[in-house]
Amino acid sequence: ANYLEPDPLEPPFLCLIASGGHTLLAAVREHGGVETLGQTLDDAAGEALDKGARLLGLGYPGGPAIERLAVAGDASAFEFPVAMAHDPGLDFSFSGLKTALVYAVRELGEEGVAGRAADLAASFQKAVVEQLTSRLERALELDGWDAVALGGGVAANSLLRRRAVELCERRQLRLKLVAPELCTDNAAMIASVALFTEPTPFP
């Protein structure tokens, strides 16, 4: 989707892909392929948001539901862990964050969760985004990238988009943010793949 109009992004660039099925950092050096620099060791970011939303009694998909509720919450109300914060690598892990939310919900009880759902959502979302952006920044420190792109359903999250803008402005890097409707599965990105794929001849 990052190759689509308007303002298509050409390689090389660093891409953070975060969805319900994938969370990884990819070095995109040419149209024909990518190099995975780091990836989730367990849950994907979108999967963690879906599970978090379920724990809070919200609908599916969980990411947008948590984002809507988080607007009214205090993101500093709960100290949820940012996994592998001191690990020098570029991998991700979200299972511990999910477990931390399970314990918080259990401790608060049904009435407590209902009263503090917005704070829980905001704090949980913040922890997910902090892990994504901290790994993105670490990858930028390891190599001389001039451009950054986001992909996947979680790339539609407004907090993640704001943090990516702040990071790239601070480092004076180009940032490509596709329209939110192109972050989730769509026909346009499949057409984009076909545009840069060599046709396979029929036997």
Side-chain angles (χ1 to χ4, degrees), residues 14-16 25 90 92 130-141 145 148-150 160 163-164 167-168 171 175:
L14 177 66
C15 189
L16 170 64
L25 282 164
L90 296 175
F92 304 83
E130 280 190 1
Q131 185 175 166
L132 293 172
T133 54
S134 67
R135 291 300 184 281
L136 177 59
E137 185 162 20
R138 185 172 296 165
L140 291 171
E141 291 170 353
W145 297 100
V148 171
L150 303 184
L160 176 58
R163 294 291 182 265
L167 173 60
C168 290
R171 290 179 167 269
L175 173 63

Side-chain angles (χ1 to χ4, degrees), residues 114-172:
R116 304 200 64 187
D119 290 344
L120 286 164
S123 300
F124 188 79
Q125 176 182 247
K126 175 187 173 185
V128 171
V129 170
E130 280 190 1
Q131 185 175 166
L132 293 172
T133 54
S134 67
R135 291 300 184 281
L136 177 59
E137 185 162 20
R138 185 172 296 165
L140 291 171
E141 291 170 353
L142 294 174
D143 209 340
W145 297 100
D146 295 321
V148 171
L150 303 184
V154 181
N157 180 274
S158 59
L159 178 61
L160 176 58
R161 292 165 82 92
R162 288 199 304 273
R163 294 291 182 265
V165 168
E166 292 166 2
L167 173 60
C168 290
E169 285 182 348
R170 191 167 66 247
R171 290 179 167 269
Q172 298 183 322

